[in-house]
């Protein structure tokens, strides 16, 4: 069974980001970049399934600038067999990602697509759902467990009320949650091996996809700084402040 895995290049989650002076977006100049944590979980899951003999080939796909090749090489070092970079300098939005993956699915014919539930930069949580709609495939989001049983995927997903167990007929799409697994550390020997694995670079127009942004960012700003705390003499003063200043009680 072939598995397609989505991989996105984002600012390292341990780096503090700053908004550009003109408010047009986040300043990424000279910042450390890394694989989106949820995509990392998706890659790890695909590799574990291959190690278990369930998956025969893993293909990682990334959409973005040329430097995304580094992220794909990291995925290969984790155990992915080959990578595809859909290279573009345009701002990539969820619908464009879904359309690109639809075109690649038509070309690669995977039985399962694994995507991170969301990216930590835009937090959209839309691409997997949009792709399922475009392909008319069954989907399961926020999964914390997945097992392949013949021509079906049995998954456990996290919902507000607890856990939900679903059985999906393949081909299908799943999006990963934090509790699915703990991604492995990449070793130096595997990093060296990854450099020799095939990586294909294509353009969106080669796939017949228009990635022109449909949404425009009007302005971005940092949240207001938290004011210093104050000490109160007694409960009566605390209640008064909550009522008259914070206005959180009536």
């Amino acid at each position: 069974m072939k598995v397609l895995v989505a991989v996105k290049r984002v600012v390292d989650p341990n780096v503090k980001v700053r908004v550009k002076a003109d408010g047009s977006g986040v300043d990424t100049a000279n910042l450390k970049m890394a694989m989106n944590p949820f995509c990392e979980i998706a890659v790890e899951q695909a590799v574990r399934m291959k190690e278990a003999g369930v998956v025969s080939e893993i293909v990682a796909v990334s959409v973005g600038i040329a430097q995304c090749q580094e992220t794909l090489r990291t995925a290969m070092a984790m155990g992915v067999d080959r990578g595809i970079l859909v290279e573009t300098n345009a701002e990539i939005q969820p619908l464009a990602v879904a359309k690109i993956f639809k075109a690649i699915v038509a070309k690669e014919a995977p039985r399962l697509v694994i995507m991170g539930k969301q990216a930590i930069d835009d937090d959209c949580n839309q691409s997997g759902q949009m792709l399922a709609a475009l392909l008319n495939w069954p989907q399961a989001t926020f999964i914390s467990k997945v097992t392949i049983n013949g021509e079906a995927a049995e998954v456990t997903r996290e919902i507000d009320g607890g856990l939900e167990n679903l059985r999906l007929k393949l081909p299908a799409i799943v999006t990963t949650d934090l509790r699915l697994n703990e991604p492995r550390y990449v070793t130096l020997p595997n990093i060296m091996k990854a450099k020799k694995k095939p990586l294909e670079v294509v353009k969106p127009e080669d796939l017949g996809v228009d990635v022109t942004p449909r949404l425009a960012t009007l302005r971005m700003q940092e949240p207001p700084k938290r004011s210093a705390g104050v000490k109160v003499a007694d409960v009566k003063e605390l209640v008064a402040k909550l009522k008259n200043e914070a206005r959180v009680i009536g």
Side-chain angles (χ1 to χ4, degrees):
M1 181 177 76
K2 182 189 291 188
V3 170
L4 209 65
V5 182
V7 172
K8 187 175 185 180
R9 180 177 184 262
V10 299
V11 176
D12 189 288
N14 298 312
V15 173
K16 179 176 174 57
V17 297
R18 294 181 179 178
V19 175
K20 293 180 180 178
D22 61 1
S24 61
V26 173
D27 186 2
T28 59
N30 301 317
L31 289 184
K32 181 183 178 183
M33 308 298 284
M35 187 188 304
N36 178 50
F38 291 103
C39 297
E40 201 173 10
I41 292 170
V43 171
E44 174 66 25
Q45 186 60 37
V47 172
R48 291 188 184 189
M49 293 168 72
K50 185 179 180 182
E51 291 173 343
V54 177
V55 171
S56 58
E57 184 182 23
I58 307 170
V59 183
V61 183
S62 188
V63 184
I65 59 178
Q67 288 85 340
C68 292
Q69 293 188 37
E70 301 170 7
T71 311
L72 285 169
R73 291 294 179 192
T74 300
M76 293 180 194
M78 291 177 68
V80 168
D81 296 295
R82 57 188 175 92
I84 300 174
L85 170 61
V86 182
E87 186 178 343
T88 176
N89 291 321
E91 179 190 351
I92 300 301
Q93 295 177 350
L95 182 58
V97 173
K99 289 181 177 180
I100 286 171
F101 267 79
K102 179 186 177 184
I104 293 178
V105 165
K107 177 183 175 183
E108 295 288 338
R111 299 294 289 164
L112 183 66
V113 178
I114 308 178
M115 309 178 79
K117 72 170 184 177
Q118 65 195 77
I120 63 170
D121 51 3
D122 55 25
D123 273 337
C124 282
N125 179 23
Q126 296 173 345
S127 296
Q129 293 90 324
M130 288 179 171
L131 178 59
L134 291 174
L135 292 172
N136 196 28
W137 282 11
Q139 63 170 313
T141 56
F142 317 135
I143 68 166
S144 56
K145 183 179 179 181
V146 57
T147 304
I148 303 300
N149 189 357
E151 285 299 303
E154 297 175 353
V155 305
T156 300
R157 62 186 298 266
E158 301 194 0
I159 58 176
D160 291 341
L163 301 176
E164 181 180 49
N165 296 315
L166 298 174
R167 182 180 176 90
L168 310 177
K169 183 178 180 181
L170 299 177
I173 297 167
V174 296
T175 68
T176 61
D177 207 345
L178 285 172
R179 280 158 287 280
L180 179 59
N181 60 53
E182 182 71 30
R184 68 193 65 192
Y185 287 102
V186 178
T187 63
L188 182 58
N190 286 336
I191 292 174
M192 301 306 294
K193 291 177 183 178
K195 293 181 178 180
K196 299 180 180 179
K197 292 184 178 182
L199 196 161
E200 180 184 0
V201 179
V202 298
K203 302 288 185 181
E205 49 267 29
D206 298 334
L207 301 172
V209 178
D210 179 13
V211 295
T212 303
R214 294 170 175 261
L215 304 173
T217 300
L218 300 180
R219 182 170 178 78
M220 186 178 292
Q221 63 187 49
E222 294 185 11
K225 292 184 178 179
R226 185 175 179 179
S227 58
V230 295
K231 290 184 178 180
V232 295
D234 50 34
V235 174
K236 184 178 180 180
E237 185 181 353
L238 172 62
V239 172
K241 285 184 175 293
L242 292 175
K243 182 177 181 180
N244 301 322
E245 296 180 18
R247 298 184 184 278
V248 294
I249 61 175

